[in-house]
């Protein structure tokens, strides 16, 4: 039958296989089996034949064929050794191996075992110092008195952790093994494997461990009792369980599936439970074994269909529990008749979404031992049969019968009077009353019948309140306020409500929730308007509560279709422990959350939660908050969050939390899971996070964080998962790769898409690699792709038992052969499957590539690059990438001008050049071309070959801006004409001596050459640059005069040429600079007058011709002060230190815009000091709201207008 599989990896080594079906090895259709090895080696790739062996029981490589064994292999295929069986080891050595494998040093109780605290290997026990150690004195060990062989191992809830070694089952006398309540697992592939060696094992308890399959259990032929509840099964019940012929008790509150055809193999099984099932469908022909803890009523309500008649084929059953599912149809009456040993039968369904069980109540007259029956909360009809329970032999035992919340009719029959003790719940049916013969049975209803009768009441009221009355529980209780109350509308006996009576407060809260969230439009919500609140879909009540109208502990309303605001009254539900409002369009306030004193879990993912105010008032009971994917927009994570000291799990991902994580996160002393990925969190990881001793999972991926990864995280010994990948502001986390060498459980790491540098430390995850716990050193996943990591992969990575390692997109220079020799479990087994270039499964060799940087399939090898290693120089290349022209140019520039003090972040790396420090491109950061801006201001750059450097800069075809200010780079302009797109050139303080050739930059709009050593006359070439808008040439040694050609620069807006040695007169043509805004030419040696043509410059904002020399000796302007009457927004006039004469014009600044001069914010500054001005200050200055004027050192006469002295802003 296996021939139906075209591709198959089959591992059956280490069994008692005696051959293949002859069609298999003759078939040509299995060539793809065993990752294609069958095509090479035939069936030897599956199992070595009888008489042959290899260390792995099959052929995996051409150089290691199956070798003949001269002494034979006892007729078995797949032998892993040749010769006699290995020597038996002592029971003490077996226990020592067990102790080492499951973390014995840290057990809660180690009495006796602690003698082995210092051993490193079971073989150490052969040393003389361990002679005389009696393992029968170890805690939890019971030995046979006659042989001193281990008979029982009982170590429940003792802190055991790790993989149980197979040798434990080699204890020949072992009959009882209890390992419940620990963190143990068996081999992931072989499961219980060699349990058949324990031939006397009768009782096994592995409850509450990390066991996920029962494979191999079928070999335990003597097993009578198997306890395996609280595990993690999400597949069908392993059919090996059906091979246990002696099994009497199977208690396993988990998730399984058992088909009807398989049930017959369980004919000897004596207990059968099927409650609280996690299945979405249940067909008539299928039977399910589902075991979930009995204190979770209405947990899933998803097991559907009818109860199968095949249960009648299991005649030994004495306990059936089908509770809290969603069964429909009739009870299988004929099948029930066959269950003669039945003592307990449960099928209550308070959380059903459909009608439940229908039809009439069977008589159960065949069952002689039945004493517990619960069919409550269904839709059964008809009267109670007169022969109901007539076969029960022990009439004096306590009978517990629950028929409540159905539609039974008639009366409670007198035939039940033969039972002396009965607790009968028959409320909320359509009974007309109770037979009077039952009213005197003092042992009924926990004695309440007798008590009420003794107090003078009707004893039958303790069974059901009669018609016309009611109580909240449907029957009377002795004592005050326990009587049935009058209710005209109570049509049947056993009513629990009365129209007009005070409504249950919990019901009020739920009814309000229903109304406020558009309940009539919900997608789910069965019984929300009809049944008791504990029958509402999604509502979970206390399991031990007989009143189905109170005791709410959980609200499970995920994806119900709620719309609106959740009323905060839910916090007043007194016993509420868990809420889940996920996948609804709802918001909620945390106002009043302190009233929910038992709340443990608040889940509201994928909703519209918008405000966390008040969450800090949550009760100490709150342990879980999951609020990912909401509308939470905060500049920082609210500090209220950090006050929740008992919180164990916090998930706030996929929101819009910003800012830094506060050091106060250390207040979350109990936190185990902190998931905050895909927000806008910035800054570094606070070092205080390493104080969270219980932290197991930290997820901060997809944020905007930076800085180094604190190595202190490695001190969190409980850490298992660390995801910091994909920080969205380019760069992300930087600095060296942390060693994380003190976290023994850390096996899931994702640092990808950051900027980590340096090599991987040799002690990276050293405590993981050195752990003796299988789950620590196996199944390790490390993703550090797309960083800047260099060097080799540490050869000690070979210590991992299994490893998935992603280092693509770095600068890795070596992959040691040790980690890719015979490591079957590396890279999901691909390393072991490849026969050539095995290391390609980890990283492609230099000169080759794949889109993910490694080989992922046997037949899809790494592709050679046409340019060889020049296109893929490192291990793990994701593309063949020739160096672009612009990259090559920048690389040459780097070598010519960068120094050790320069910021060269990402320069000369494989990162796109558009991410290099100071580089901006016309695309995004992923581009490798299109450089439009280079900004390397004050970066300690030095150039020796200035001509070559200049040529390289100006050769970049798209360059628009070049800023080299503050570096020793005095560019030569010989090739500037090549920079046809250059618009801004900033070369201030670079040591320039001339700008000869600058006019070839025909597109240049802005030129900065201040603070240099430019000598000689004002450069005439500048007049040939009509596109110039901004010219900064101050603080040089320029001499000569300004040419009248200055008027040709009609686009000029800013002209700064102060502090030079320019002389002569200011040409009148300067008045042609119609766009000029800032004209600053002071501290030169101008003579003559200020040209009146400057009055025509309407856009002028600043005018400066100040002079600090001695007027009349080397320079200084004379003549009249012009009026600037056409300038509308002039802010600053500086003519200080000249020899201007005459009075201030009466129309001085008369053209200023009214709103401009009247604004408090617009200060007008007039530096008129140290001239020869005369007259008085014009009163028109009163029109300026905010004025600073310096006019000292002139010949101004008073008085100053009194109005000036009241200008508060002057």
């Amino acid at each position: 039958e296996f021939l139906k599989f075209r591709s198959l990896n089959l591992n059956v080594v280490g069994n008692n296989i005696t051959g293949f079906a002859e069609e298999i090895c003759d078939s040509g259709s299995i060539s793809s089996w065993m990752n294609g090895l069958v095509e090479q080696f035939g069936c030897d790739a599956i199992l070595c034949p009888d008489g042959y062996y290899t260390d792995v029981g099959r052929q995996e490589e051409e150089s290691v064929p199956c070798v003949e064994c001269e002494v034979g292999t006892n007729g078995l295929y797949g032998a892993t050794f040749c010769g006699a069986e290995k020597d038996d080891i002592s029971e003490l050595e077996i226990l020592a191996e067990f102790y080492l494998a499951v973390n014995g040093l840290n057990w809660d109780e180690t009495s006796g075992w602690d003698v082995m605290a210092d051993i490193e290997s079971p073989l150490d026990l052969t040393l003389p110092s361990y002679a005389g150690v009696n393992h029968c004195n170890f805690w939890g060990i019971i030995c046979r008195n006659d042989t001193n062989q281990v008979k029982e191992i009982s170590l429940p809830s003792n802190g055991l952790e790790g993989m149980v070694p197979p040798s434990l089952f080699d204890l020949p006398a072992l009959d009882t093994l209890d390992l419940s309540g620990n963190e143990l697992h068996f081999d992931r592939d072989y499961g219980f494997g060699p349990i058949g060696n324990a031939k006397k094992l009768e009782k096994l308890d592995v409850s509450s461990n990390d066991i996920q399959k029962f494979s191999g259990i079928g070999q335990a032929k003597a097993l009578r009792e198997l306890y395996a509840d609280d595990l993690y099964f999400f597949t069908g019940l392993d059919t090996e369980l059906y091979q246990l012929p002696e099994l009497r008790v199977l208690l396993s509150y988990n998730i399984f599936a058992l088909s009807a055809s398989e049930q017959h193999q369980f004919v000897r099984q004596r207990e059968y439970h099927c409650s609280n099932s996690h299945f979405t469908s249940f067909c008539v022909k299928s039977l399910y074994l589902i075991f979930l803890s009995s204190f979770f009523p209405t947990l899933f309500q998803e097991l559907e269909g009818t109860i199968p008649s095949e249960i009648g084929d299991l005649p030994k059953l004495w306990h059936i529990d089908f509770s809290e599912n969603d069964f429909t149809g009739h009870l299988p009456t004929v099948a029930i008749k066959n269950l003669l040993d039945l003592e307990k039968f449960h099928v209550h369904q308070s959380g059903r979404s459909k009608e439940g069980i229908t039809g009439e109540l069977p008589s159960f007259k065949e069952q002689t031992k039945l004493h517990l029956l619960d069919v409550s909360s269904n839709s059964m009809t008809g009267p109670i049969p007169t022969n109901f329970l007539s076969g029960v032999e022990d009439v004096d035992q306590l009978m517990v019968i629950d028929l409540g919340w159905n539609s039974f009719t008639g009366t409670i029959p007198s035939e039940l009077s033969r039972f002396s003790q009965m607790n009968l719940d028959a409320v909320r049916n359509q009974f007309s009353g109770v037979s009077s013969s039952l009213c005197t049975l003092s042992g009924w209803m926990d004695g309440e019948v007798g008590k009420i009768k003794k107090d003078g009441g009707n004893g039958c009221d303790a069974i059901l309140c009669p018609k016309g009355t009611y109580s909240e529980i449907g029957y009377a209780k002795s004592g005050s306020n326990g009587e049935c109350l009058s209710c005209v509308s109570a049509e049947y006996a056993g009513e629990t409500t009365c129209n007009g009576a005070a409504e249950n407060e919990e019901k009020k809260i739920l009814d309000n929730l229903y109304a406020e969230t558009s309940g009539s439009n919900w997608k789910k919500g069965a019984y929300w308007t009809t049944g008791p609140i504990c029958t509402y879909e999604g509502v979970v009540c206390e399991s031990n509560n007989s009143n189905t109208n109170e005791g709410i502990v959980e609200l499970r309303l995920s994806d119900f279709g709620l719309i609106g605001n959740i009323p905060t009254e839910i916090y007043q539900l007194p016993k509420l422990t868990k809420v889940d409002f996920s996948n609804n369009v709802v918001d909620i306030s945390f106002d009043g959350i302190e009233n929910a004193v038992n709340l443990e879990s608040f889940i509201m993912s994928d909703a519209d939660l918008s405000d966390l105010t008040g969450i800090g008032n949550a009760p100490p009971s709150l342990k879980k908050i999951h609020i990912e994917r909401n509308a939470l927009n905060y500049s920082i994570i609210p500090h209220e969050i950090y006050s929740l000291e008992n919180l164990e799990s916090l998930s706030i991902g996929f929101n819009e939390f910003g800012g830094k994580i506060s050091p106060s996160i250390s207040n979350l002393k109990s936190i185990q899971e902190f998931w905050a990925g895909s927000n806008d969190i910035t800054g570094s990881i606070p070092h205080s996070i390493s104080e969270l001793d219980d932290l197991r999972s930290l997820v901060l991926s997809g944020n905007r964080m930076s800085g180094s990864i604190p190595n202190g995280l490695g001190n969190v010994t409980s850490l298992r998962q660390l995801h910091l990948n994909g920080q969205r502001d380019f760069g992300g986390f930087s600095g060296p790769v942390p060693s994380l060498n003190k976290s023994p459980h850390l096996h899931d790491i994702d640092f990808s898409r950051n900027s980590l540098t340096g090599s991987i430390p040799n002690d990276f995850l050293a405590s993981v690699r050195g752990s003796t716990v299988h789950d620590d050193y196996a199944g390790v996943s490390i993703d550090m792709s797309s960083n800047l990591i260099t060097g080799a992969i540490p050869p000690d990575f070979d210590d991992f038992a299994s490893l998935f390692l992603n280092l693509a997109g770095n600068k890795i220079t070596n992959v040691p052969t040790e980690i890719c020799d015979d490591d079957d479990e590396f890279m999901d087994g691909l390393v072991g499957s490849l026969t050539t270039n095995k290391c390609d499964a980890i990283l492609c060799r230099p000169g080759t590539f794949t889109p993910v940087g490694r080989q992922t399939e046997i037949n899809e090898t790494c592709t050679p690059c046409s340019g060889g290693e020049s296109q893929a120089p490192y291990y793990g290349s994701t593309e063949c990438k020739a160096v672009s022209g612009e990259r090559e140019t920048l690389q040459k520039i780097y070598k010519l001008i960068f120094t050790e003090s320069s910021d060269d972040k990402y320069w000369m790396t494989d990162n796109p050049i558009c991410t290099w420090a100071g580089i901006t491109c016309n695309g995004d950061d992923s581009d490798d071309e299109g450089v439009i801006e280079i900004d390397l201001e004050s970066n300690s750059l030095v150039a020796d070959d200035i001509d070559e450097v200049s040529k390289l800069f100006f050769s970049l075809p798209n360059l628009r801006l070049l800023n080299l200010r503050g570096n020793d780079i005095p560019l030569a302009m010989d090739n500037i004409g090549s920079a046809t797109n250059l618009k801004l050139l900033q070369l201030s303080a670079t040591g320039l001596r001339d700008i000869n050739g600058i006019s070839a930059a025909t597109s240049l709009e802005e030129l900065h050459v201040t603070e240099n050593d430019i000598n000689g006359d004002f450069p005439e070439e500048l007049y040939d640059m009509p596109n110039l808008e901004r010219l900064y040439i101050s603080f040089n040694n320029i001499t000569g005069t300004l040419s009248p050609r200055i008027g040709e620069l009609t686009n000029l807006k800013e002209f700064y040429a102060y502090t030079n040695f320019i002389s002569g007169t200011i040409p009148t043509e300067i008045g042609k600079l119609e766009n000029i805004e800032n004209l600053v030419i002071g501290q030169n040696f101008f003579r003559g007058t200020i040209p009146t043509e400057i009055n025509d410059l309407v856009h002028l904002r600043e005018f400066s011709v100040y002079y600090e020399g001695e007027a009349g000796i080397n320079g200084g302007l004379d003549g009249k002060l012009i009026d600037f009457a056409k300038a509308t927004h002039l802010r600053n006039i500086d003519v200080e230190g000249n020899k201007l004469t005459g009075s201030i014009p009466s129309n001085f600044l008369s053209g200023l815009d009214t709103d401009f001069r009247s604004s408090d914010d617009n200060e007008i500054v007039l530096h008129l000091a140290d001239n020869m001005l005369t007259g008085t200050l014009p009163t028109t200055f009163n029109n300026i709201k905010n004025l600073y004027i310096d006019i000292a050192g002139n010949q101004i006469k008073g008085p100053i207008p009194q109005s000036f002295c009241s200008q508060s802003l002057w």
Side-chain angles (χ1 to χ4, degrees), residues 240-315:
E240 290 199 45
L241 283 171
Y242 316 147
Q243 301 169 17
L244 301 174
E246 299 300 323
L247 193 63
R248 297 294 190 276
V249 178
L250 172 62
L251 292 179
S252 187
Y253 292 79
N254 298 296
I255 300 174
F256 295 114
L258 177 61
S259 69
S261 64
E262 295 166 333
Q263 297 156 17
H264 302 285
Q265 301 180 57
F266 262 82
V267 295
R268 298 179 64 91
Q269 183 183 325
R270 300 180 66 87
E271 293 202 35
Y272 185 76
H273 297 254
C274 190
S275 61
N276 296 315
S277 312
H278 195 334
F279 280 85
T280 55
S281 64
F282 182 89
C283 63
V284 175
K285 294 298 182 182
S286 295
L287 187 60
Y288 289 76
L289 280 165
I290 309 296
F291 307 106
L292 290 172
S293 300
S294 59
F295 50 84
F296 287 129
T298 69
L299 186 58
F300 295 105
Q301 308 93 28
E302 293 180 330
L303 196 54
E304 301 175 347
T306 59
I307 295 175
S309 60
E310 284 84 357
I311 64 170
D313 297 334
L314 304 173

Side-chain angles (χ1 to χ4, degrees), residues 88 111 200 246 332 588 754 756 907 926 929 1015 1065 1089-1090:
D88 292 337
S111 177
K200 295 186 178 182
E246 299 300 323
I588 191 172
N754 281 292
L756 301 179
W907 280 75
S926 64
E929 59 183 11
N1015 294 288
T1065 60
T1089 62
I1090 300 174

Side-chain angles (χ1 to χ4, degrees), residues 6-9 28-39:
R6 295 184 59 189
S7 178
L8 177 68
N9 284 345
S29 64
I30 65 169
S31 58
S32 296
W33 284 20
M34 308 303 287
N35 291 321
L37 294 179
V38 170
E39 184 176 15

Side-chain angles (χ1 to χ4, degrees), residues 914 1050 1136:
C914 301
T1050 55
E1136 183 176 340

Side-chain angles (χ1 to χ4, degrees), residues 12 259 319 436 610 659 681 989 1019 1191:
V12 288
S259 69
H319 188 173
S436 60
S610 61
I681 298 171
I1191 198 167

Side-chain angles (χ1 to χ4, degrees), residues 275-542:
S275 61
N276 296 315
S277 312
H278 195 334
F279 280 85
T280 55
S281 64
F282 182 89
C283 63
V284 175
K285 294 298 182 182
S286 295
L287 187 60
Y288 289 76
L289 280 165
I290 309 296
F291 307 106
L292 290 172
S293 300
S294 59
F295 50 84
F296 287 129
T298 69
L299 186 58
F300 295 105
Q301 308 93 28
E302 293 180 330
L303 196 54
E304 301 175 347
T306 59
I307 295 175
S309 60
E310 284 84 357
I311 64 170
D313 297 334
L314 304 173
K316 298 295 184 181
L317 289 179
W318 65 273
H319 188 173
I320 297 177
D321 189 342
F322 283 131
S323 303
E324 297 310 326
N325 287 286
D326 218 351
F327 288 118
T328 54
H330 295 188
L331 292 179
T333 304
V334 175
I336 289 173
K337 289 180 180 180
N338 294 332
L339 303 177
L340 302 182
D341 291 339
L342 193 61
E343 297 181 22
K344 301 178 183 180
F345 184 82
H346 307 258
V347 69
H348 59 83
Q349 300 192 128
S350 60
R352 58 190 168 84
S353 64
K354 301 181 177 64
E355 59 184 349
I357 302 296
T358 55
E360 297 186 352
L361 182 67
S363 68
F364 292 94
K365 63 185 180 64
E366 292 80 14
Q367 282 71 39
T368 60
K369 301 175 183 178
L370 186 64
H371 60 88
L372 193 156
L373 174 66
D374 188 348
V375 295
S376 60
S377 300
N378 283 288
S379 299
M380 302 183 72
T381 56
I384 298 174
T386 56
N387 59 348
F388 182 55
L389 305 177
S390 61
V392 175
E393 295 175 349
D394 186 357
V395 296
D396 292 323
Q397 66 179 327
L398 175 62
M399 303 291 293
V400 179
I401 309 298
D402 194 344
L403 310 178
W405 300 87
N406 279 281
S407 298
F408 293 121
T409 56
T411 61
I412 307 298
S414 60
E415 285 78 7
L416 294 179
S417 63
R418 72 191 194 95
F419 296 106
S420 61
Q421 298 184 81
M422 180 176 287
N423 290 345
L424 174 64
D425 190 342
V427 302
R428 293 302 294 260
N429 280 283
Q430 298 177 21
F431 290 118
S432 58
V434 180
S435 172
S436 60
S437 63
L438 307 179
C439 301
T440 59
L441 298 175
S442 59
W444 274 46
M445 308 301 287
D446 288 328
E448 288 294 317
V449 171
K451 292 176 184 179
I452 290 177
K453 185 176 185 300
K454 183 178 179 181
D455 292 339
N458 185 344
C460 279
D461 288 4
I463 301 173
L464 287 178
C465 286
K467 290 193 299 183
T469 67
Y470 86 105
S471 77
E472 286 191 356
I473 57 176
Y475 50 86
K477 299 275 285 185
S478 60
S480 59
N481 301 319
E483 70 275 11
C484 296
L485 304 174
S486 176
C487 179
V488 176
S489 62
E491 183 178 358
Y492 302 108
E495 293 287 5
T496 60
T497 59
C498 178
N499 292 337
E503 188 177 10
N504 175 281
E505 285 300 318
E506 293 187 51
K507 187 175 187 305
K508 282 183 183 179
I509 292 171
L510 291 198
D511 287 349
N512 186 38
L513 169 64
Y514 185 84
E516 292 294 324
T517 56
S518 190
S520 59
N521 295 316
W522 287 3
K523 296 186 291 184
K524 306 176 186 177
Y527 301 104
W528 269 72
T529 57
T530 57
I533 59 175
C534 293
T535 69
Y536 289 6
E537 185 177 4
V539 175
V540 180
C541 294
E542 291 179 300

